Amino acid sequence: MSWSVRHEGSPRVIEGLTLEQVAEGLREGSWEPTDEVRGPGEPEWRALENHPQFSELALELEPPPRHEGEDETRLDMNPLIDVCLVLLIFFMLTTTYAALTKYLESADVTNTPLPGTPKMTTKELDEVAIKVSAKMEGDKPVIRIEKDVVEIDDLAKKLKEVKRSSKKAKAWLEIDDKVPYGTYIAIIAEAGEADVSVLLQVEAAPAQKKK
């Protein structure tokens, strides 16, 4: 009982093979599962993978399914998200800067009060608040707490000491209009660090004369 084998689509036929020889050739790779085989008394050719004698063997030898690579058409959103975050941070910074610039340009650090602001004498202010003054001496702003000259870096520390000794939790500002805005902002920040409230709209009205 001989078997015949031919490669798929090939006119060349190998005859006189036994069942074991065909199976061995399939295991060794001499035949592909798609190659055709015809057994004794069989009128038609059939693929080895479809023949009942070799279908299980062909299934065992079938290579694993090919791994499909990542779909290159997928839209990667990470760069778009990065750009949006950069733009968001940019607009936040520019908006903050614009608001701060507008505030500084419109800020009036002179002693001119707003309409309806109650006036207090310097004596009345000294009773309830710590006096912080700043004026230009030469080309340098000089800051004083009461009458003591203080460096801007030591302002918070000095305010804490005066607050502790005087029991005053507020400060009033007397700032020369020639003092840079940066110094003014730094004084506000140092007072906040010392937990001292600042009276921004203050006019030191002259004391009334006794009649």
Side-chain angles (χ1 to χ4, degrees):
M1 299 179 65
S2 62
W3 290 74
S4 302
V5 179
R6 69 181 183 184
H7 291 294
E8 182 181 13
S10 174
R12 182 171 175 271
V13 178
I14 301 177
E15 298 177 340
L17 300 174
T18 63
L19 179 65
E20 290 75 13
Q21 288 175 327
V22 176
E24 186 67 21
L26 183 59
R27 293 191 189 95
E28 294 179 353
S30 300
W31 316 112
E32 296 292 337
T34 56
D35 290 340
E36 298 172 331
V37 65
R38 185 173 60 185
E42 294 179 355
E44 297 180 354
W45 293 90
R46 282 189 285 182
L48 286 166
E49 60 186 2
N50 295 330
H51 198 286
Q53 294 288 348
F54 307 102
S55 58
E56 292 185 6
L57 179 59
L59 186 62
E60 293 176 0
L61 300 176
E62 185 176 353
R66 186 178 62 179
H67 174 70
E68 296 293 338
E70 185 178 0
D71 186 4
E72 296 297 332
T73 61
R74 181 177 61 87
L75 180 61
D76 187 0
M77 297 296 291
N78 289 329
L80 180 60
I81 294 173
D82 293 341
V83 172
C84 290
L85 288 176
V86 171
L87 290 175
L88 177 61
I89 294 172
F90 172 76
F91 287 123
M92 288 174 62
L93 292 176
T94 52
T95 303
T96 303
Y97 175 77
L100 179 60
T101 302
K102 183 177 180 181
Y103 171 77
L104 292 178
E105 289 177 350
S106 61
D108 185 3
V109 296
T110 65
N111 288 328
T112 303
L114 292 174
T117 303
K119 297 181 180 181
M120 299 177 66
T121 65
T122 55
K123 182 178 179 180
E124 290 172 333
L125 287 171
D126 288 336
E127 290 176 355
V128 297
I130 305 167
K131 179 181 179 181
V132 179
S133 61
K135 61 176 57 180
M136 297 298 294
E137 294 185 5
D139 58 350
K140 179 182 178 183
V142 177
I143 302 171
R144 287 182 173 85
I145 296 180
E146 304 298 349
K147 296 181 180 180
D148 298 330
V149 177
V150 181
E151 294 293 332
I152 188 63
D153 294 336
D154 299 328
L155 184 58
K157 179 180 178 183
K158 183 64 176 178
L159 280 173
K160 289 179 182 179
E161 295 174 357
V162 176
K163 174 185 175 183
R164 188 164 46 249
S165 61
S166 65
K167 307 300 182 181
K168 299 175 183 177
K170 297 180 180 180
W172 67 281
L173 305 183
E174 188 178 69
I175 299 179
D176 187 357
D177 57 1
K178 296 181 181 179
V179 172
Y181 284 124
T183 302
Y184 171 72
I185 297 299
I187 292 174
I188 300 296
E190 292 293 313
E193 184 177 343
D195 197 21
V196 173
S197 301
V198 177
L199 304 176
L200 294 177
Q201 300 295 338
V202 169
E203 179 182 4
Q208 294 180 355
K209 295 181 179 180
K210 293 182 179 180
K211 295 181 180 180

